[in-house]
Amino acid sequence: MGDMTNSDFYSKNQRNESSHGGEFGCTMEELRSLMELRGTEAVVKIKETYGDTEAICRRLKTSPVEGLPGTAPDLEKRKQIFGQNFIPPKKPKTFLQLVWEALQDVTLIILEIAAIISLGLSFYHPPGESNEGCATAQGGAEDEGEAEAGWIEGAAILLSVICVVLVTAFNDWSKEKQFRGLQSRIEQEQKFTVVRAGQVVQIPVAEIVVGDIAQIKYGDLLPADGLFIQGNDLKIDESSLTGESDQVRKSVDKDPMLLSGTHVMEGSGRMVVTAVGVNSQTGIIFTLLGAGGEEEEKKDKKGVKKGDGLQLPAADGVAASNAADSVRASLVNGKMQDGNVDSSQSKAKQQDGAAAMEMQPLKSAEGGDADDKKKANMHKKEKSVLQGKLTKLAVQIGKAGLVMSAITVIILVLYFTVDTFVVNKKPWLPECTPVYVQYFVKFFIIGVTVLVVAVPEGLPLAVTISLAYSVKKMMKDNNLVRHLDACETMGNATAICSDKTGTLTTNRMTVVQAYVGDVHYKEIPDPSSINAKTMELLVNAIAINSAYTTKILPPEKEGALPRQVGNKTECGLLGFVLDLKQDYEPVRSQMPEEKLYKVYTFNSVRKSMSTVIKMPDESFRMYSKGASEIVLKKCCKILSGAGEPRVFRPRDRDEMVKKVIEPMACDGLRTICVAYRDFPSSPEPDWDNENDILNDLTCICVVGIEDPVRPEVPEAIRKCQRAGITVRMVTGDNINTARAIAIKCGIIHPGEDFLCLEGKEFNRRIRNEKGEIEQERIDKIWPKLRVLARSSPTDKHTLVKGIIDSTHTEQRQVVAVTGDGTNDGPALKKADVGFAMGIAGTDVAKEASDIILTDDNFSSIVKAVMWGRNVYDSISKFLQFQLTVNVVAVIVAFTGACITQDSPLKAVQMLWVNLIMDTFASLALATEPPTETLLLRKPYGRNKPLISRTMMKNILGHAVYQLTLIFTLLFVGEKMFQIDSGRNAPLHSPPSEHYTIIFNTFVMMQLFNEINARKIHGERNVFDGIFRNPIFCTIVLGTFAIQIVIVQFGGKPFSCSPLQLDQWMWCIFIGLGELVWGQVIATIPTSRLKFLKEAGRLTQKEEIPEEELNEDVEEIDHAERELRRGQILWFRGLNRIQTQIEVVNTFKSGASFQGALRRQSSVTSQSQDVANLSSPSRVSLSNALSSPTSLPPAAAGQG
């Protein structure tokens, strides 16, 4: 299959090639086949075919140093011959497909069938015209005209169904469009550094062409395939393509192949781009994926039908993108893990409005480390808190509605049959059958309408609208949301673990203190006071031993600060050189990057960077720089004031730490030590033995670098603390520096009881004698921990995991984490919400995150919290409104049907009410803008019910008001208005004014109650800020206008007869009463109403997602007592039974098929992770599930 699709793909390129054959020395096909080789094979092939990488550069008409000339015609030609660096996205679903999906809703299908039967019967006239005596002739015989109009009801129902479907489809479509927009926005954000015409420029990833010379560095995600030309210490994580988690070392002579979608874990260098877009390794996999998807879809159509309609549609694109992610992870993983691909493919296909992110790669495989990905999927892909609560609530309401509608139908049918055949003793005449059937169909339609009103289809819609709206607005607040549900989770956040550098601080490093030649300078020293020899060493050490991509450029605007490009710490040091009136450029041009003999690049283990150069006399010199406490330990000499090295003993070092380093750190400075060492020319040292090389150094100087706190951070942190969110700082800096910054930010206040720990001490406290991490030990530390200094990436991950898994507090903690480095990936994935820095962040961090902060600013996180809480409140507002309508409409239809054999609200009217309630109200209430007051309350947490007591009070209170008035109107309305009674009208009788008034009053009450629903915490002023939300005003006025049209001109289809002005006034007046009544309800203290049950709570049992119970089995096992072991076995047993029951039920109902698949795939991945759990029973189940197409058709088709 693969070859076929690819050949289609490339056929047009081949045509191009034949014409351009002579343009470049190698064709796209040759380069593609070259990139498929690995390691030594590739080196051999390059030698045989081309000679070396230089030769390939010549053939591609590019220079390894100067890059491409970058002229437009040349770039165009390259794009034509070798393709563009962009993988075409999967086609979005067409509007018609979305309409078709909306039609799958079971309640709608039932309605359609009923309407069609009703239509058919109204056109069928029995031969004998003796149907006079058939039905109980209530209200006299019908006029001929009315009998003719029998088809109207059926037609009207069909029309309203079409309305509902179109609105749903339109919403899905706009949601998808937004997602595409978001996606392309994320892609435009992605830039990459290339060399063109000798200049280093940043261009969007899509602009990269074959032949470009790209500069790669630590933390990059490679955007295209290429060959390594030159560089130092380059290590790549290729797990996203090969599944091998070991880092691969790249070198020109051993393994020069660099593949798109892989991560640079260490080092830096240059590559020449050889394949882009669909021809790159990742691209080839994606084209296979796309083709595979189509075929799956065909099989799928035959197999699984969609769920039972009460199931909420998977909220928006999120779930789907997750499904797609897992597809990516398993496919990109090279090994095509077992049969998983099929199941996850079909899973992704069935998702709701989800094509949005299905195959839209983030210009790369979202592979990540495969195992990591699985774990992340388990953790992240639990339903988000809100979705969990909503699904539960909707299912409960749906069941209740079903019962009510069934009872309604049964009562109506029984009453009719008893009345006709028993009381009036009518015989069942064959010619009367159609008339009777018509009655039964009418009853059935009433029942279905009750069901339609009872099921809150608006819920998933409200969630989607609210999230999509928030995401769009959050863009303006510098939050680029990658996973929709992250936005809502953020509202529940209870803890934020933030990086220091760049997030809390400005990330503009400047050297403010220095210790050179035995003197501690409190500001930048005068150049003349420093010995010339020392000065030369210092300038060389800083200029050569830093990435050559790091530069200080003149300011863009007059009076602005010079621009810092590249690594900020190095910029600070280069700035120090410039402040000493020296220049680093000549030193670099004298010793270009190609001449550096060996480079030990900076990584989180070494915490230092060293560069070796060859001196003119063939000897070697190594310059080193790094965190002062680490580098000083390796120094055995120090330069004196005269520029001569003198002995530097451990006790001198301790004194230096006390006198120089600690005072600097207490001022919040980061201390960096610069040192060097000379080696003889022979014997040449063994450069791979790092421990011997990085030793016996001579210290040149120690500098204190300041990174000022961002001005808006202290205020933002105060807001967080007021909102009940604990901010913790996790940094790689020295503890004194970290503490000083934490005090400046307001994370800790002097005199409070809190902990500031170093990574070592933290690890010592949380591990037992065997060196294993114990949750109980973490629980003792984290509540008071505010600053974790000198921490490694694993410490950060441990802390986040420890806080999330903790059961120490009554609410489970929801943790947000910020990160920018490659090493923050695991912590970002583990956290409930991961924030990556948009400017300083590496691609790897962005891949692992949920939200990207486009301005790297901590105060944007506070905005995210505000939006998140707003989403939650919007949903609650909508629920409060929706449930009032549901309760009232269901009770009215039910009792009306039982007492008067006919629902006072007709099917079409119910559908209109349902449309305004569900669709319009969700639009109106879900788009309320957030206010600062949201930050004055504590987070809701995971166990807080969706519908609080106050809301329950409002729902029931308003329902009482509405029911009282509607029943009053129903039974004594005709006397009040002096009109004919509408009760007991025969089949097809003309619409009565009486029932029209009831319908109109009902809608007016809903309209005014919509205004009440804007406040959910029992506030008095419901109009507060109403004009800030134009959508709300438009919808309320629009609904009102349409209602006038329906009542005055709706006629037969809407069962309305026009009303006089005074009757209208009464309807509006009763509606206005809602606002007054709202004030009455607000005065009743909620605390008195203990009996009101809250709904939509996630219970304790569901609270701990079972994945997490399993995930940690290994860790708990050794450490825990026998008792705990018993509990675990018990959990395991329960877990297994739960899974099996769930699968069995799934097969029975065939309904929430995707749900089970999704759950199962995460369970399967655990059974691979946790050896203890992979029992045969579980494996066999997962195999049965992983290929849905092989099910017996009976099981599959039942939904």
Side-chain angles (χ1 to χ4, degrees):
M1 173 197 81
D3 302 338
M4 182 193 75
T5 20
N6 286 343
S7 58
D8 300 346
F9 240 104
Y10 305 118
S11 54
K12 68 167 190 287
N13 290 325
Q14 255 126 23
R15 281 201 300 282
N16 289 344
E17 256 158 48
S18 51
S19 56
H20 291 286
E23 291 280 352
F24 297 101
C26 36
T27 64
M28 183 174 74
E29 282 299 301
E30 289 168 17
L31 289 173
R32 239 183 91 214
S33 53
L34 171 65
M35 289 320 290
E36 274 158 15
L37 302 173
R38 301 279 177 273
T40 37
E41 294 175 26
V43 178
V44 174
K45 171 91 173 161
I46 293 175
K47 274 215 173 68
E48 286 172 2
T49 321
Y50 304 102
D52 58 359
T53 41
E54 298 276 320
I56 293 183
C57 289
R58 281 197 297 280
R59 289 194 179 197
L60 288 173
K61 302 194 176 156
T62 178
S63 135
V65 184
E66 296 285 309
L68 290 179
T71 57
D74 176 52
L75 296 178
E76 248 336 285
K77 196 158 60 189
R78 285 174 194 271
K79 278 186 189 163
Q80 271 192 329
I81 296 178
F82 298 110
Q84 295 183 326
N85 193 23
F86 132 95
I87 296 174
K90 209 163 132 289
K91 284 206 292 287
K93 286 192 184 158
T94 57
F95 190 67
L96 287 175
Q97 277 170 310
L98 292 171
V99 168
W100 176 243
E101 274 179 16
L103 277 171
Q104 309 294 316
D105 185 5
V106 174
T107 41
L108 288 180
I109 293 175
I110 297 176
L111 263 181
E112 286 153 30
I113 294 171
I116 289 167
I117 296 176
S118 158
L119 264 177
L121 285 174
S122 67
F123 288 126
Y124 167 70
H125 282 301
E129 281 302 308
S130 62
N131 56 6
E132 292 301 312
C134 292
T136 44
Q138 290 179 329
E142 324 174 6
D143 1 348
E144 273 307 290
E146 293 312 323
E148 294 308 299
W151 59 275
I152 291 184
E153 183 161 28
I157 291 179
L158 281 180
L159 254 173
S160 35
V161 167
I162 291 171
C163 257
V164 173
V165 166
L166 286 179
V167 170
T168 319
F170 179 73
N171 272 311
D172 280 348
W173 179 76
S174 55
K175 175 177 75 194
E176 187 151 319
K177 211 171 88 191
Q178 270 183 352
F179 243 92
R180 299 244 155 193
L182 177 70
Q183 208 49 17
S184 58
R185 166 86 190 261
I186 291 179
E187 278 157 15
Q188 286 152 10
E189 297 268 313
Q190 233 169 345
K191 295 261 204 299
F192 209 78
T193 316
V194 297
V195 182
R196 287 202 177 158
Q199 291 294 313
V200 178
V201 287
Q202 285 217 326
I203 58 170
V205 169
E207 296 294 311
I208 293 177
V209 293
V210 172
D212 257 325
I213 303 295
Q215 288 199 342
I216 49 180
K217 59 179 188 314
Y218 158 78
D220 281 344
L221 186 84
L222 300 183
D225 292 355
L227 297 173
F228 186 51
I229 315 175
Q230 145 298 297
N232 9 10
D233 230 8
L234 190 69
K235 286 191 187 151
I236 306 269
D237 168 14
E238 292 189 348
S239 59
S240 57
L241 284 180
T242 60
E244 296 295 324
S245 52
D246 295 345
Q247 293 176 11
V248 186
R249 210 193 183 103
K250 298 289 178 186
S251 62
V252 181
D253 44 358
K254 291 204 183 63
D255 181 3
M257 313 308 270
L258 298 172
L259 307 171
S260 57
T262 57
H263 294 145
V264 182
M265 299 312 277
E266 207 176 297
S268 61
R270 292 180 169 196
M271 71 170 187
V272 56
V273 176
T274 54
V276 292
V278 286
N279 308 311
S280 66
Q281 292 303 302
T282 311
I284 293 170
I285 288 174
F286 270 125
T287 38
L288 291 181
L289 237 184
E294 301 303 303
E295 308 200 345
E296 277 297 335
E297 204 155 21
K298 288 185 197 113
K299 283 188 227 160
D300 229 49
K301 285 280 191 299
K302 301 184 189 101
V304 183
K305 274 284 285 151
K306 196 152 164 238
D308 70 337
L310 298 183
Q311 228 53 37
L312 281 172
D316 61 74
V318 177
S321 67
N322 295 337
D325 277 0
S326 58
V327 180
R328 278 179 205 158
S330 50
L331 231 172
V332 168
N333 223 346
K335 296 194 194 110
M336 304 273 188
Q337 301 161 342
D338 45 280
N340 266 0
V341 177
D342 306 356
S343 67
S344 33
Q345 272 284 345
S346 47
K347 186 167 89 186
K349 292 292 172 294
Q350 290 170 355
Q351 284 296 359
D352 222 43
M357 286 196 34
E358 235 161 49
M359 271 278 322
Q360 185 72 321
L362 246 174
K363 278 287 178 267
S364 72
E366 284 224 52
D369 182 319
D371 296 340
D372 238 32
K373 194 71 187 177
K374 275 189 227 151
K375 288 193 191 111
N377 270 355
M378 280 168 14
H379 178 74
K380 274 271 160 62
K381 315 319 178 208
E382 305 163 18
K383 273 208 186 82
S384 69
V385 186
L386 186 61
Q387 270 164 316
K389 291 178 180 177
L390 279 178
T391 312
K392 225 180 133 203
L393 194 70
V395 169
Q396 287 168 348
I397 297 173
K399 283 180 187 158
L402 228 141
V403 172
M404 291 289 277
S405 62
I407 295 176
T408 312
V409 173
I410 293 168
I411 289 180
L412 284 169
V413 170
L414 280 178
Y415 188 95
F416 177 76
T417 41
V418 169
D419 194 49
T420 311
F421 303 120
V422 181
V423 180
N424 294 331
K425 301 192 176 49
K426 289 256 169 73
W428 181 298
L429 301 169
E431 63 268 24
C432 289
T433 310
V435 181
Y436 293 143
V437 173
Q438 220 165 341
Y439 265 106
F440 289 139
V441 169
K442 177 181 159 189
F443 297 150
F444 182 63
I445 289 182
I446 291 174
V448 175
T449 337
V450 173
L451 179 65
V452 171
V453 177
V455 176
E457 313 83 283
L459 273 186
L461 191 71
V463 180
T464 311
I465 292 177
S466 184
L467 285 173
Y469 170 77
S470 306
V471 166
K472 212 167 166 183
K473 291 279 189 245
M474 280 167 80
M475 288 272 203
K476 294 198 179 77
D477 286 337
N478 305 311
N479 283 304
L480 185 68
V481 181
R482 289 189 52 212
H483 298 137
L484 270 188
D485 50 354
C487 160
E488 159 249 315
T489 315
M490 210 39 225
N492 286 326
T494 53
I496 297 177
C497 294
S498 171
D499 262 5
K500 176 183 80 75
T501 314
T503 315
L504 300 173
T505 57
T506 54
N507 205 5
R508 254 201 87 84
M509 308 284 193
T510 36
V511 173
V512 288
Q513 296 188 19
Y515 179 87
V516 191
D518 295 340
V519 188
H520 182 178
Y521 297 96
K522 291 285 188 178
E523 53 250 3
I524 300 288
D526 186 64
S528 57
S529 64
I530 295 176
N531 177 294
K533 266 197 284 190
T534 311
M535 182 68 98
E536 190 195 357
L537 271 169
L538 179 61
V539 172
N540 280 343
I542 290 174
I544 292 171
N545 185 27
S546 57
Y548 279 34
T549 47
T550 304
K551 305 189 191 61
I552 292 192
L553 302 177
E556 282 176 331
K557 296 200 253 330
E558 276 297 307
L561 295 166
R563 276 184 303 158
Q564 296 188 339
V565 182
N567 180 317
K568 297 297 194 243
T569 313
E570 291 179 351
C571 286
L573 290 168
L574 292 173
F576 179 52
V577 171
L578 297 177
D579 288 338
L580 293 172
K581 308 280 183 284
Q582 307 293 316
D583 191 3
Y584 62 88
E585 283 294 352
V587 181
R588 283 185 173 181
S589 46
Q590 213 176 334
M591 175 61 67
E593 208 167 353
E594 296 78 53
K595 282 199 188 162
L596 301 180
Y597 195 80
K598 171 94 181 124
V599 179
Y600 299 95
T601 49
F602 182 88
N603 65 23
S604 54
V605 181
R606 284 190 197 124
K607 297 259 191 205
S608 68
M609 170 179 177
S610 313
T611 304
V612 181
I613 57 171
K614 213 168 189 170
M615 303 297 280
D617 62 354
E618 294 295 305
S619 67
F620 300 99
R621 172 172 288 173
M622 177 179 76
Y623 293 117
S624 236
K625 69 165 188 290
S628 56
E629 45 259 63
I630 289 166
V631 178
L632 276 179
K633 280 198 184 106
K634 299 176 176 163
C635 290
C636 62
K637 299 200 180 85
I638 187 166
L639 291 183
S640 64
E644 294 304 325
R646 62 175 169 79
V647 181
F648 183 62
R649 290 183 298 280
R651 66 155 188 270
D652 300 332
R653 186 173 70 231
D654 296 340
E655 180 157 344
M656 177 138 167
V657 168
K658 262 206 213 62
K659 295 267 172 65
V660 179
I661 291 173
E662 283 188 355
M664 280 188 186
C666 292
D667 293 340
L669 304 184
R670 190 170 177 177
T671 53
I672 301 278
C673 175
V674 182
Y676 77 103
R677 175 183 178 184
D678 286 326
F679 296 97
S681 54
S682 66
E684 182 170 332
D686 170 12
W687 298 115
D688 288 337
N689 184 350
E690 266 184 54
N691 292 343
D692 291 358
I693 302 283
L694 296 178
N695 230 327
D696 298 341
L697 306 176
T698 306
C699 168
I700 305 174
C701 72
V702 173
V703 294
I705 299 185
E706 179 184 48
D707 184 4
V709 172
R710 285 174 177 264
E712 60 283 339
V713 162
E715 170 60 19
I717 286 181
R718 211 173 59 249
K719 278 186 191 161
C720 280
Q721 287 163 343
R722 203 172 53 215
I725 301 169
T726 315
V727 182
R728 294 184 174 81
M729 182 161 100
V730 183
T731 173
D733 268 351
N734 165 322
I735 185 139
N736 296 323
T737 311
R739 192 184 287 123
I741 299 272
I743 290 173
K744 281 185 193 165
C745 293
I747 291 178
I748 52 184
H749 303 287
E752 273 183 2
D753 176 25
F754 52 78
L755 283 175
C756 294
L757 292 182
E758 284 205 343
K760 274 204 191 96
E761 171 67 8
F762 172 69
N763 273 312
R764 195 183 60 67
R765 290 201 191 184
I766 61 170
R767 290 174 193 275
N768 59 13
E769 301 69 57
K770 296 186 196 157
E772 290 143 359
I773 297 174
E774 286 191 4
Q775 184 64 44
E776 276 129 60
R777 290 173 181 246
I778 299 184
D779 284 349
K780 289 196 186 102
I781 295 176
W782 72 257
K784 287 191 176 171
L785 182 69
R786 290 292 176 275
V787 175
L788 184 59
R790 279 274 169 254
S791 66
S792 68
T794 25
D795 296 340
K796 190 169 184 174
H797 182 253
T798 309
L799 175 66
V800 171
K801 185 173 181 313
I803 298 180
I804 288 181
D805 295 348
S806 169
T807 45
H808 178 76
T809 47
E810 71 278 15
Q811 291 279 11
R812 172 157 125 37
Q813 297 280 310
V814 178
V815 184
V817 170
T818 67
D820 52 2
T822 305
N823 46 18
D824 292 325
L828 287 169
K829 273 188 181 151
K830 178 69 195 164
D832 293 290
V833 183
F835 284 92
M837 302 294 131
I839 303 168
T842 56
D843 298 346
V844 184
K846 291 181 190 172
E847 265 327 79
S849 69
D850 301 296
I851 299 182
I852 297 174
L853 294 178
T854 48
D855 63 345
D856 287 12
N857 194 334
F858 186 83
S859 56
S860 303
I861 300 179
V862 182
K863 293 260 180 41
V865 172
M866 204 158 84
W867 276 107
R869 292 186 171 191
N870 189 51
V871 168
Y872 209 92
D873 280 8
S874 297
I875 305 298
S876 296
K877 288 172 190 173
F878 173 65
L879 263 176
Q880 178 174 307
F881 174 65
Q882 166 90 24
L883 292 180
T884 315
V885 182
N886 282 8
V887 169
V888 175
V890 170
I891 292 177
V892 167
F894 176 71
T895 42
C898 299
I899 299 170
T900 67
Q901 287 76 66
D902 183 9
S903 164
L905 296 173
K906 298 289 181 286
V908 184
Q909 296 175 351
M910 289 275 213
L911 284 170
W912 159 240
V913 168
N914 203 32
L915 187 77
I916 59 169
M917 291 333 120
D918 279 2
T919 319
F920 296 156
S922 60
L923 256 176
L925 291 167
T927 51
E928 290 271 316
T931 55
E932 286 279 332
T933 48
L934 288 169
L935 292 175
L936 298 177
R937 62 172 174 77
K938 298 273 176 279
Y940 282 146
R942 296 195 168 237
N943 321 4
K944 164 100 170 43
L946 261 182
I947 301 175
S948 61
R949 278 228 176 91
T950 316
M951 286 168 61
M952 210 55 167
K953 176 182 77 176
N954 290 343
I955 292 171
L956 295 178
H958 286 296
V960 167
Y961 173 83
Q962 297 185 7
L963 285 171
T964 316
L965 280 162
I966 283 178
F967 284 131
T968 313
L969 285 174
L970 181 58
F971 295 113
V972 294
E974 72 270 26
K975 299 193 186 72
M976 288 160 49
F977 287 106
Q978 273 99 45
I979 47 178
D980 295 337
S981 164
R983 293 195 300 281
N984 301 338
L987 203 58
H988 304 314
S989 54
S992 65
E993 282 188 351
H994 183 190
Y995 275 17
T996 309
I997 291 179
I998 293 178
F999 165 58
N1000 200 16
T1001 311
F1002 180 66
V1003 173
M1004 287 304 129
M1005 291 199 283
Q1006 303 323 328
L1007 271 185
F1008 286 105
N1009 194 26
E1010 200 166 335
I1011 299 175
N1012 274 332
R1014 291 183 66 248
K1015 299 287 177 238
I1016 48 174
H1017 299 299
E1019 295 92 332
R1020 286 267 173 199
N1021 181 5
V1022 288
F1023 290 102
D1024 178 36
I1026 193 163
F1027 295 116
R1028 278 217 314 279
N1029 186 358
I1031 303 182
F1032 184 86
C1033 305
T1034 321
I1035 283 178
V1036 171
L1037 294 174
T1039 316
F1040 186 66
I1042 301 174
Q1043 178 66 16
I1044 295 178
V1045 174
I1046 288 178
V1047 171
Q1048 295 307 89
F1049 310 106
K1052 184 76 188 166
F1054 279 99
S1055 323
C1056 287
S1057 70
L1059 298 180
Q1060 269 95 44
L1061 189 63
D1062 60 328
Q1063 291 166 336
W1064 264 102
M1065 283 304 148
W1066 275 107
C1067 294
I1068 295 176
F1069 175 71
I1070 296 174
L1072 275 167
E1074 271 287 323
L1075 294 174
V1076 182
W1077 184 246
Q1079 296 300 319
V1080 175
I1081 295 179
T1083 40
I1084 306 172
T1086 313
S1087 49
R1088 288 284 168 78
L1089 307 171
K1090 284 278 184 287
F1091 61 89
L1092 286 184
K1093 196 166 125 283
E1094 300 149 321
R1097 169 197 289 274
L1098 276 183
T1099 48
Q1100 239 25 61
K1101 191 171 117 282
E1102 296 160 38
E1103 177 42 32
I1104 306 175
E1106 56 194 75
E1107 284 95 343
E1108 294 188 1
L1109 290 178
N1110 297 359
E1111 210 177 18
D1112 307 332
V1113 167
E1114 290 172 320
E1115 291 170 19
I1116 303 170
D1117 256 7
H1118 321 288
E1120 296 299 24
R1121 324 283 168 274
E1122 285 303 304
L1123 167 80
R1124 187 67 189 263
R1125 187 163 288 161
Q1127 285 177 345
I1128 289 168
L1129 290 169
W1130 169 237
F1131 272 140
R1132 265 186 225 160
L1134 262 180
N1135 221 354
R1136 212 165 278 159
I1137 293 167
Q1138 271 179 352
T1139 309
Q1140 286 161 3
I1141 290 174
E1142 196 163 348
V1143 174
V1144 172
N1145 288 347
T1146 304
F1147 281 111
K1148 272 192 206 147
S1149 66
S1152 51
F1153 202 84
Q1154 308 103 297
L1157 275 178
R1158 210 169 306 137
R1159 164 95 173 264
Q1160 192 60 24
S1161 63
S1162 73
V1163 174
T1164 319
S1165 61
Q1166 280 160 33
S1167 56
Q1168 293 154 7
D1169 285 349
V1170 182
N1172 324 10
L1173 287 174
S1174 55
S1175 66
S1177 67
R1178 169 141 322 162
V1179 174
S1180 60
L1181 279 170
S1182 63
N1183 295 346
L1185 267 168
S1186 55
S1187 54
T1189 40
S1190 66
L1191 293 178
Q1198 279 192 350

